[in-house]
Every structure is written in C-alpha cells, then in structure tokens.
Amino acid sequence: MSARPQKKRATRRLLAAAAGLATVGALAAAMPAVASDESGGNKGHHKDDLVKVQLLSFNDLHGNLEPPAGSSGNVNEKQADGTTKAIPAGGVEYLATSLRKAREGNKFSITAAAGDMVGASPLLSGLFHDEPTIEALNKLDLDVTGVGNHEFDEGAVELSRLQKGGCHPVDGCYEKGKKFKGADFPYLAANVTSEKTGKPILAPYEIWKSHGLKIGFIGVTLEGTPNIVTAEGVKGLKFHDEIETVNKYAKELEEQGVNSIVALIHEGGSPASSAYNYDCDSPAPGGGISGPIVDIAKGISPQVDALVTGHTHNAYACTIPDPAGNPRLVTSAASFGRLYTDTTLTYDRRTNDIVRTSVKSANHIVSRDQPKAQDMTDLIARWNTLAAPISNTPQGFISADINGRGSSSPESPLGDVIADAQLEGTAPADKGGAQLAFMNPGGIRADLVYAASGAEGNGVVTYGEAFTVQPFTNMMNVFDLTGAQIITALQQQVSGSNAGSPKILQVSKGFTYTLDMTKTGADRVVTDTVRLNGEPIDPAKTYRVAMNEFLGGGGDGFAALGQGTNKLVGPSDLDLLNAYLAANSSAQSPLAPPAANRITVIR
C-alpha cells in the first residue's frame, strides 16, 4: 500500500508520520535502557539523529459535539489526599482548544483516534447521520482513526459515505447548496473484510511520511462487533481476530521498511481506579489494569510500538509487556471528548525506529475553564439551527436527575423508566400483549438531567435529550419466550461472553429476582427468586416479552432472547419513551426517579 499524500497543513502537521512514530516511542517510555535498538535501547544513538514527535489521541467521541450533560460530562481526578473529585469536561469547542494548545511548540505532531467517533450520538449529530461530527473532526485536524463497533450502526455502505462524502441516500443534503464532503482523514478497518471478496472494506493501514520520518498505523475493531451491533449493520461483513490481524499487517509494513508502527484498537480494559490520573503501572507494569486489552497487548508482535485503545470508555496510560517481555505503552482517553492523551516519543532517524527511553505519556482533562474554539462554536450553532424545531420539543417532566449511563448500580433508575415505557407501550393486546420488558444497559447512552440544557426550563425533557438517552431508535419486538428461556437469559447476563464484564438487563415493573455476585457464572442468578408480579416464573409456561430488535436478535450475548417466537414489531424504543413521559408526567406532577429495587444484589 502506498502512502497517502500528506495534507497541506500548518508547519506542525508536516511530520505527521513522525507523530505516529511518537506513539511508538511512548511505549518505550517506561522501559529501562537495553542494548538493542529494536528493544528500545539507547546505545549508539547520536543526539542529532533523535527527533521528538508528539502523538495526541482520543477515542469514543460518539458525536458529543456539545459538552455532555450530567455525570457523563465529568471525569474523576485523584487528589493528593487520595480522594477523587468530579470535574466537568468535554465538548468539541474545548477539545479543539486543548489540542491546538497542546500542539504549540511541537514541530512534529500527529492526532489519532481509536474508533467510535460516531454512532450512539446525541441528536445534534445523530439526526444528520453524524455529518456534523465528521465536519468537526476535519476541523480538529484528526489525521487517522481506526473503526469502532458503532461505525457499523448504519452499515458498511453508510460508513463508506462518511469516508468518501456525498449526501445521504434517503434524507439527501441537509443544507441548500452544500454537499457533504466526507472525512479528510482515513478510517482504518484491517480486521473487517467483505464476505464476498475477502478483502478489507477500508484501508487496513496508513503510512505517514515526512522529512524522512515514517510511521504505520494499523486500525482494528473488536472481533466481537457482530455481537453488539444489529445484524443489519454487519450484514455481508466478517470480523477477524485482533492479534492475528495486527501482526499480519505489522509484518507487511516492516517489509516495506516501516519500522515504527502504532495499532489503533477499538477494544480496551478496566483500570483499578476510575480516576483518569491513576497510575495503572503500580506496583508493576500493567498491574492495575484488567480486561480484553491485556491479553491482546500480550499477543501483539513486538514490531508494534504502541497501542491506542478504546471501547470501554475508561482512562489509562500504562505499560503492558509485549511478547518479548518489554513494556509497551497502552492508552485510552475515556470517552465523549472529555480527555486527550499526549505522548512524546523519540524517533531515531538512523534506525527509523523509536527509542524506548525518555518517553512521556499522560491523559489531560478537556477543561471547560478555557476559551472556546470559535470555529466549533459556529459549527454547533449552524447545526443546532437546523435541529432546533425537532430537538427543542418538550416530551415530559422530571423532578430530579434520573441516572442511566451515570449510574454505578447494576439496575439504574433510568433503566427502570425505559423498561416500563417499553412494557406500557407493548402491553395492549393489539400492540403485542407484553407481560414484561428487558432493556440492554449499553443502549442507555446518557442520564435524564434535571438542569435545563437550553431555554426549556429545569425539569423539562426535550426530544433532543430523550434522543441522547436512546439514539439508536431500535424497533420494539414482542416475542413468546418460555420461563426456562427467560431464566437462561438472566444467567447469560453473568456467564459466557458476559462472565468477565456482566451486562445486567434492565427490567420492567413487577419483575424481580436476586443476583448473588459472591458466586460465579450462571450460579449468580438465584433462580427460585425470579418472579413476575409476585408469582414464580414457570419454566414450562410461555410469556410475552418486549425488547428492542437488537436484543431480539440475540445481541450482547443473549442467545436465549434470540430464540423467541411469534414476533410482533412495534414502534421504536424512542417513541415509546417519549409516549411514556407524556402520559406519566406533567409540569405539576413530574416523574420522580424510581427506587431501582427490582433486582436484589448480594455482594
């Protein structure tokens, strides 16, 4: 693959390739000096051969152009006394300012991302098929990104449109006289191939070259993407193992003389602390982080110098040993543009490789206590004007914050509200006759926040705010499921593919059970406590169960839910939420946060 021509940008952009190299160097930062250049040593290096390269990175923006509301807009910062403090952060007006300020004084700088730039976006972006976010990323001078699972929410054809440009095939052009130009940065999808051709649907890697510096970026998403995206979104596609794919293309890059390589991986880990400035290398390299990225990092070839990761929405900048036993940098900048990672790497012109000493990497808060970038302010205002007639329409009233994404409990208050809305909308005989409803926790993307987001007034829930909570607009399904299948689905929350990271279904009123987290696997579900309206679930009896089409297709590892029969398709989940708010709240009697006491959790 030949290198893509360098975009004409300010001087800082001239060495984009070098920036990538910077990433590589970052891993070496924590490594002790060793004899070999390949393993990150410093023997034989002459200071005139060494170049400092900056890598700025972020992940999981999810179209959050405006500052995220409620708990989704905070980051936790560890204080000197050991406590944590929640700090408001995020918004592209501030992200642009932060990145531009960070680039000052760095001759060689590159900006990379690790997927989920779009998808599950607030209405400001989602209403326009995320064209506003691509436009914002162009203005941010993003150089390259890997794909994430949410890039496939609307399928490969739509992803290709976001890359290449052109107006939406159904909704057309949104602004008179303007045609969507697409991304001026490459999306990389090394491990996503067409079932027909067997070839990657987008470029597997990107080589950046400048002033004799060159770096290869390989982009992959998690192999399990088909399990967390609707079947229509991944139709005709095959997703391959992350380790095998990265190693394959790392070898191909080295055969082309590219010795510095960065992997952009949309899969991540979970640090032991939620604080963005937690040291996950204490007491040992990578000792404070767990999750899928650990095994992936340990399996990826030492040819790869650094891993920029995402998906879990966590923050970390630490080292995990590569297969040769040498520490290698692994970073993630939380989500929603609340953080960015700044890595300084040392590139040796003589070896065209990274020196794994004298490297620094850290996450930084995108503070709202700084000037806004005017071009981003103008962009938001322009799109908000187009969205306002829909976005600002009141849907209902709440008396306090109803936490969803920001809830720390397996059962969230907003999860109860959504499940109740789905049950209420599908319970009538002609609407499906549902007796209970299940909602996947990953489909709840935000909180309902009491404080006004605009001029609507405190406690008013607008269409835009409801859309931000449920942006997928999945169609509702009602199925016949046996009591045995329902119990199996509950067990699949905490076993199989969900054993390591449980996905607790949100349940409608009248459905109760006990979850014993002191046990392991399927045994965590105390089966004789599962009840519907006080009556034990009968394994042999058939029940009508409502859920969105994603769960109905067995998504998120819930194969049992995919076995339902006698399917009836109803309105969208968002329509049911808005109808529920309208029917169950008013200015005089706003909806209060539910007690969230349907699932008893033993720890």
Side-chain angles (χ1 to χ4, degrees), residues 481-490 530 537-543:
L481 287 171
T482 66
Q485 288 171 323
I486 290 172
I487 291 173
T488 298
L490 296 180
V530 183
I537 287 287
D538 183 347
K541 185 179 177 180
T542 296
Y543 299 84

Side-chain angles (χ1 to χ4, degrees), residues 453-540:
S453 59
E456 75 276 9
N458 291 339
V460 179
V461 179
T462 65
Y463 185 90
E465 291 165 342
F467 185 98
T468 297
V469 169
Q470 289 199 274
F472 300 110
T473 57
N474 280 318
M475 303 309 292
M476 289 301 301
N477 293 170
V478 184
F479 295 98
D480 282 347
L481 287 171
T482 66
Q485 288 171 323
I486 290 172
I487 291 173
T488 298
L490 296 180
Q491 294 172 330
Q492 288 171 345
Q493 300 175 113
V494 289
S495 63
S497 61
N498 294 329
S501 182
K503 291 184 174 67
I504 307 304
L505 294 166
Q506 307 300 285
V507 299
S508 56
K509 61 184 178 182
F511 189 84
T512 58
Y513 71 98
T514 297
L515 198 59
D516 188 349
M517 298 304 288
T518 66
K519 297 181 179 180
T520 59
D523 289 340
R524 289 173 168 174
V525 176
V526 184
T527 56
D528 61 6
T529 66
V530 183
R531 286 175 167 76
L532 178 62
N533 299 322
E535 296 294 326
I537 287 287
D538 183 347

